[in-house]
Amino acid sequence: MIDQIRQFEDAKVLAAARQAEVTVAFDLQQRREQAAAGVPADEQGAGVGAQVALARRESPARGGRLLGLAKALREMPCTFEAFRSGRLNEWRTTLVVKETACLSVEDRKAVDEELAADTGSLDGFGDRAIIAAVRAAAYRRDPSSVAKRASHAVTERTVSLRPAPDTMTYLTALLPVAQGVAAYASLTRDADSLRSSGDERSKGQIMADSLVERVTGAPGGITGIDIQLVMTDRTLLQGDSEPARLTGYGTVPAHWARETILNRSIGPAAAGMAALAAGSGSGCTESGVSSGTDAGVGSGTDSGSRGQQELSVWLRRLYTAPGTGELVAMDSKARFFPPRLRRFLQVRDDTCRTPYCDAPIRHDDHIIPWHNDGPTTAGNGQGLCEACNHTKENPGWSAKPVPGPRHSMELRTPTGHTYRSTAPPLPGTALPMAAKHSVQVLGRVAPRNLWPQRRRVLIPSGDPAQ
């Protein structure tokens, strides 16, 4: 069985190497076609990474990195041979390429030859050891390029947020080393001081609470930020166990959502999650907390004891069609989506609607472009991340709404392959597992829509807050 496990691993690596070869060939073919079509040289290759991502069932960002890896390997034949023979897997090959990205083609080839896997240089190395070895070789070849890369890294400082289990989040800051060490030392020093004075919280809890309070300037961190929470009316009012959905985070337990809304107070453990927006309708409710902005959904906060804050919650009802959970549509003749329709799209779509992309929504997009007489409606609207919206505008890409149990659209790439995207089900919408995700690949749809035809009942609402 151990021999089989190794054989399967070798087969995976061989397939990944072959994917890289085909990816490079596809990129060259697409560039030739675009050049023949008169696309400017600096725009050739646009959308190739997105097509690779769809074919590999990856996000567009991941597809771009895979394309870059495949193209870089043309300049590193020894590394590519180690990849193809199974001595390096795809991830460790990526590490080698990444650490030589700042070098010229000649220096990259020299490092490639120095660290050729057939010399045994990388045998038995883990990820960190490979990174250290490649960095050292790169620095020996061109110290100035490595130093320049370090200087450029300062410009990439940023802060990001991603979900963690159990209604927690990872708030990550990428900082220059001096700033990062200074911030951590300050939090550590204050936590040690509070602990020595009798604070019963753990050191980690104090550091986390202090970070939130320093950034927001408010105890507990609640400053009236608008965050939407979608739940069923049964979860809110009848103690049902159907989970809720927090925009920008994902699924949260029914008990947590209900207690936060009905008790209207939160402690430090829930401080980062406590801006909620609530509403009730035909089978689904949306709840939210904010400082009173945009269509009457929001809440204010009142300071209480340390670590506790009072939430003033406003409720908005969402009306859904029986069975399918489809939200009621809204119409507009304007080119730009009005605020309430933008909120509607964000609640319905949750994340970017491109298949396999779960990036936050940044753009409100017309599926059929407005300049092609596409209406500004919920049915012709979708939420996209910035990169996917720009990709969709490249020559050869098109999209159209298609019938489905919930809002669905079909994306067509320049090669003629089609992919279907369906809006995620709202809380309380029971769907067969096979019908939850319908992705059309290589011109074939799998699975088919399993829902019977239903006549949707749309309840008009002049004001979503009513």
Side-chain angles (χ1 to χ4, degrees), residues 102-165:
C102 62
L103 302 178
S104 65
V105 175
E106 294 75 15
D107 288 335
R108 174 179 285 189
K109 288 181 177 179
V111 171
D112 179 53
E113 294 174 358
E114 178 182 341
L115 298 177
D118 55 11
T119 67
S121 300
L122 304 180
D123 287 351
F125 277 27
D127 292 353
R128 290 186 178 181
I130 288 177
I131 291 173
V134 178
R135 282 182 180 175
Y139 187 78
R140 286 193 296 269
R141 294 298 307 182
D142 190 354
S144 61
S145 293
V146 176
K148 183 178 179 180
R149 172 176 148 178
S151 299
H152 176 73
V154 176
T155 66
E156 298 179 343
R157 59 190 184 277
T158 186
V159 177
S160 61
L161 184 73
R162 70 183 191 277

Side-chain angles (χ1 to χ4, degrees), residues 407-452:
H407 183 268
S408 300
M409 56 81 65
E410 184 179 88
L411 181 66
R412 185 179 182 89
T413 67
T415 58
H417 293 81
T418 55
Y419 303 84
R420 178 171 294 192
S421 168
T422 299
L426 290 173
T429 304
L431 293 176
M433 285 300 296
K436 285 188 177 180
H437 302 285
S438 177
V439 179
Q440 188 169 353
V441 183
L442 301 179
R444 301 178 64 186
V445 177
R448 301 283 296 181
N449 176 19
L450 302 181
W451 278 90

Side-chain angles (χ1 to χ4, degrees), residues 27-360:
D27 177 66
L28 294 174
Q29 181 260 351
Q30 288 283 286
R31 288 175 179 273
R32 286 195 295 266
E33 289 188 2
Q34 292 173 357
V39 176
D42 59 346
E43 298 179 10
Q44 293 173 15
V48 174
Q51 294 184 71
V52 171
L54 288 167
R56 293 193 57 167
R57 298 173 182 161
E58 298 280 5
S59 69
R62 171 75 173 157
R65 290 194 294 270
L66 291 168
L67 174 60
L69 168 67
K71 294 168 67 175
L73 284 174
R74 292 182 299 176
E75 302 167 359
M76 306 183 71
C78 297
T79 301
F80 189 35
E81 179 57 33
F83 182 22
R84 188 160 38 203
S85 63
R87 293 191 297 274
L88 286 176
N89 61 22
E90 186 175 45
W91 171 243
R92 289 176 176 165
T93 302
T94 302
L95 295 178
V96 175
V97 170
K98 179 182 178 182
E99 295 302 324
T100 58
C102 62
L103 302 178
S104 65
V105 175
E106 294 75 15
D107 288 335
R108 174 179 285 189
K109 288 181 177 179
V111 171
D112 179 53
E113 294 174 358
E114 178 182 341
L115 298 177
D118 55 11
T119 67
S121 300
L122 304 180
D123 287 351
F125 277 27
D127 292 353
R128 290 186 178 181
I130 288 177
I131 291 173
V134 178
R135 282 182 180 175
Y139 187 78
R140 286 193 296 269
R141 294 298 307 182
D142 190 354
S144 61
S145 293
V146 176
K148 183 178 179 180
R149 172 176 148 178
S151 299
H152 176 73
V154 176
T155 66
E156 298 179 343
R157 59 190 184 277
T158 186
V159 177
S160 61
L161 184 73
R162 70 183 191 277
D166 304 322
T167 65
M168 302 291 283
T169 58
Y170 294 106
L171 176 64
T172 305
L174 178 64
L175 301 171
V177 62
Q179 296 179 11
V181 170
Y184 187 81
S186 176
L187 292 171
T188 300
R189 183 174 57 252
D190 289 354
D192 290 338
S193 176
L194 289 174
R195 287 278 292 170
S196 63
S197 63
D199 197 311
E200 296 181 355
R201 292 174 294 171
S202 70
K203 181 178 179 180
Q205 290 173 341
I206 296 175
M207 292 174 67
D209 295 346
S210 298
L211 174 65
V212 172
E213 292 177 8
R214 291 184 186 186
V215 171
T216 63
I222 302 304
T223 56
I225 298 173
D226 180 18
I227 303 179
Q228 304 168 43
L229 179 69
V230 182
M231 65 175 72
T232 66
D233 46 7
R234 299 179 302 280
T235 293
L236 178 62
L237 303 175
Q238 299 177 12
D240 191 76
S241 60
E242 176 70 28
R245 190 180 78 194
L246 181 61
T247 301
Y249 176 84
T251 301
V252 294
H255 176 77
W256 181 90
R258 181 168 52 251
E259 287 299 309
T260 305
I261 291 293
L262 297 182
N263 291 343
R264 299 185 179 186
S265 66
I266 60 168
M273 307 282 297
L276 313 171
S280 68
S282 172
C284 184
T285 54
E286 179 199 8
S287 79
V289 175
S290 82
S291 56
T293 61
D294 193 0
V297 174
S299 79
T301 60
D302 298 319
S303 298
S305 60
R306 188 180 73 178
Q308 294 288 334
Q309 284 194 289
E310 187 73 13
L311 301 179
S312 176
V313 179
W314 299 356
L315 303 179
R316 172 192 286 120
R317 290 173 292 188
L318 298 178
Y319 293 98
T320 60
T324 65
E326 180 77 61
L327 286 178
V328 62
M330 294 182 288
D331 197 358
S332 172
K333 295 182 179 179
R335 175 175 182 178
F336 299 103
F337 291 91
R340 290 179 181 174
L341 185 50
R342 289 201 303 269
R343 179 185 290 275
F344 179 94
L345 296 178
Q346 292 169 358
V347 170
R348 184 195 69 192
D349 295 344
D350 193 34
T351 59
C352 177
R353 283 290 298 277
T354 299
Y356 314 115
C357 182
D358 56 2

